[in-house]
Amino acid sequence: MAEKRAARGPEAAQMRIGEPVGLLEISRAWLVDPVAGREGAGEIVVRDGVLEAVTWLAGAAAKGIGPDGVVVAPGFIDLHVHLREPGNEDAETVASGLAAAAHGGFTTVCAMANTTPPADEPGVFARIRDAAAASGSPVELLLHGAVTVGRAGERLAALGELADAGAVGFSDDGSPVKSPVILRNALLYAGMLGIPLFEHAEDPVLTAGAEANEGYVGTVLGLKGWPAAAEVTAVERAIAVLGAVLPDAPVAALHLTHVSTAGALDAVRRAKVAGLPVTCDVTPHHLALTDEWVAGARRWAWEALDGDGVARDPWADGALVAHPYATTCRVNPPLRAAEDAAAVLEALVDGTADAVATDHAPHTQVDKEAEFGLAANGISGLETALGVLLATVGAGRLPLARAVEALTTGPARVLGGRAGGRGAARGLVEGAPADLVVFDAGAGWTVTAAALASRGTNTPLLGRELPGRVLLTVAGGRLAYRDADA
Ligand SMILES: [Zn+2]
């Protein structure tokens, strides 16, 4: 078991959230720098908020230091979170959401626009930024603007004004952009502004009344099917529309968020091969959890496949260990079959997926305490993302360096120049403001409501032990999170 002595230095114990880090020395750690493409044993020193020294160790000095102990990486970026403020502060506030981000190792998060009112004009941005400033959190909050006025899908929002106000992306997430005509115009205008369009790809006609992934598990449970085709056709349509606007808007860019099916990922793969400016992200829950969790299974996605890559039968396997119909498992897009989850993981490993994004979607108990098909969609994910990815790493399914890339340089590239220039974009560079996460890959923690900083405790991982305890998160030179024992 790795040591719990990551934070050293006379001031480490006195550091307070939001204050500049005076002196922090982390010795005998495993450093991962995805910008330099390097990982190995090393030590860092942070002084007065600046990453003063990064020392790579070799030979005898590096002996016994591995990626299963204390790890230092640039601070993570999440392209897709819902912070619920303004409008639904019972589910989450900007302050509680940023605290959850810091606990998860994220130093930059991009909030979606589906608040109440939606972020379809700069005044809403100002309110959200005021809340972030009042929170005292050093986590950087970046904002997506809505594509359409009121996210109603009828007419374009003032994209230029939102761009001037600092929008990093445009999205009607929560819903897809309603019509292909609007999608076309949005890609055109967003492209002229040099800002990517983040599309939640779903054909709502195919998913009307849908409750759970269409397939064996949903059929046995009697839940109305949510077909993979609803995502595949929406992704293919968006890519086709993108191709049509490129001659007029050569810097147009389409980002497909929370892609969850093998067919949609194949479409993204083909578009990338064809040289189209398409990127995508995948969520931790879609690569590690499957639809059998709705039935009460709690094994990882790769454990739910047989030797031929076909989903096992959880009833025949005796894999059902929890009550069925847990609404913590209800999410949009739904938890998919094990074959789709394997395709999501493969896309992450081979680079088809540019980033891991959590789609952090906190909800109140009231909104989740309903029949399965009526409960709110969403999983609270900021604080469990690292643990789920480390479980995947631990199973030998994902290289640690790739997991870190997908949380740092990958999302930074999607954002381009709007990424904010924090650690994830720069790597572990001496002389820059410290922006990093320190976690103990060898130490586990149990996901409980009390352990979560988010107001949303709606995760099917409650009660589970995850690897990778975050010890410290430093954002822009300031302390964002510190484990009580660190
Ligand atoms: Zn969405």
Side-chain angles (χ1 to χ4, degrees):
M1 186 64 67
E3 57 274 61
K4 278 277 179 53
R5 52 186 169 81
R8 278 198 193 135
E11 298 173 35
Q14 287 91 48
M15 289 191 301
R16 297 170 69 94
I17 301 298
E19 291 186 350
V21 173
L23 178 64
L24 171 69
E25 296 174 358
I26 298 171
S27 53
R28 295 184 56 77
W30 188 258
L31 312 185
V32 183
D33 185 347
V35 176
R38 183 171 185 183
E39 62 176 318
E43 302 181 340
I44 66 162
V45 178
V46 176
R47 194 185 301 274
D48 298 330
V50 172
L51 184 52
E52 184 179 81
V54 178
T55 308
W56 296 88
L57 300 175
K63 210 166 176 218
I65 304 173
D68 52 352
V70 173
V71 177
V72 179
F76 303 150
I77 299 181
D78 195 338
L79 294 172
H80 186 152
V81 303
H82 300 275
L83 299 188
R84 307 302 189 205
E85 183 176 358
N88 191 5
E89 289 82 355
D90 288 344
E92 192 81 293
T93 62
V94 167
S96 62
L98 295 183
H103 180 214
F106 293 90
T107 57
T108 302
V109 295
C110 306
M112 278 299 169
N114 66 334
T115 47
T116 310
D120 62 356
E121 51 96 8
V124 181
F125 276 16
R127 284 177 67 180
I128 297 169
R129 286 189 178 125
D130 285 348
S135 76
S137 171
V139 172
E140 183 157 40
L141 176 57
L142 303 176
L143 300 172
H144 292 290
V147 174
T148 61
V149 175
R151 289 179 53 254
E154 306 292 334
R155 56 200 172 90
L156 281 185
L159 303 189
E161 287 178 25
L162 289 165
D164 288 345
V168 296
F170 294 115
S171 185
D172 274 355
D173 183 72
S175 327
V177 173
K178 211 183 247 174
S179 96
V181 178
I182 297 273
L183 180 66
R184 181 181 187 287
N185 291 340
L187 279 166
L188 203 56
Y189 285 109
M192 288 172 180
L193 296 164
I195 294 178
L197 186 101
F198 276 58
E199 177 65 333
H200 161 127
E202 174 186 353
D203 181 334
V205 178
L206 279 171
T207 61
E211 295 175 305
N213 182 54
E214 182 175 271
Y216 172 69
V217 172
T219 301
V220 173
L221 292 176
L223 295 172
K224 183 166 167 21
W226 191 317
E231 180 178 280
V232 180
T233 55
V235 163
E236 288 177 339
R237 184 180 81 173
I239 291 171
V241 172
L242 173 71
V245 305
L246 278 177
D248 295 321
V251 292
L254 172 67
H255 180 80
L256 297 152
T257 191
H258 55 50
V259 182
S260 65
T261 59
L265 289 160
D266 277 343
V268 172
R269 199 173 275 121
R270 288 195 302 274
K272 288 187 163 196
V273 169
L276 291 172
V278 174
T279 52
C280 78
D281 66 65
V282 296
T283 72
H285 50 269
H286 286 118
L287 67 86
L289 277 48
T290 62
D291 58 358
E292 66 173 26
W293 282 52
V294 180
R298 287 295 179 269
R299 60 189 170 184
W300 297 120
W302 47 90
E303 297 165 348
L305 283 176
D306 68 16
D308 298 322
V310 176
R312 310 169 78 99
D313 181 338
W315 284 275
D317 278 10
L320 305 178
V321 295
H323 288 298
Y325 306 102
T327 59
T328 49
C329 297
R330 181 164 157 84
V331 61
N332 179 358
L335 297 179
R336 299 291 188 181
E339 294 93 337
D340 281 312
V344 171
L345 179 53
E346 184 190 354
L348 178 59
V349 171
D350 75 15
T352 300
D354 300 84
V356 166
T358 66
D359 190 8
H360 175 71
H363 286 293
T364 60
Q365 290 285 98
V366 169
D367 287 340
K368 279 291 191 183
E369 280 172 1
E371 291 93 326
F372 190 83
L374 298 177
N377 281 305
I379 292 175
S380 182
L382 273 168
E383 294 165 87
T384 56
L386 175 64
V388 170
L389 291 181
L390 289 176
T392 313
V393 170
R397 307 275 167 171
L398 176 69
L400 174 65
R402 178 67 194 135
V404 171
E405 268 177 12
L407 290 167
T408 55
T409 47
R413 270 195 298 273
V414 171
L415 294 175
R418 293 162 303 278
R422 286 282 184 89
R426 271 198 307 262
L428 298 174
V429 180
E430 289 180 355
D435 196 83
L436 47 87
V437 54
V438 182
F439 59 89
D440 189 342
W445 65 287
T446 302
V447 184
T448 62
L452 297 176
S454 173
R455 289 194 180 179
T457 57
N458 50 298
T459 165
L461 296 165
L462 275 185
R464 194 173 184 108
E465 183 170 329
L466 291 179
R469 191 179 188 94
V470 172
L471 303 177
L472 277 170
T473 305
V474 178
R478 297 196 286 154
L479 184 69
Y481 173 81
R482 183 185 59 212
D483 184 90
D485 298 331

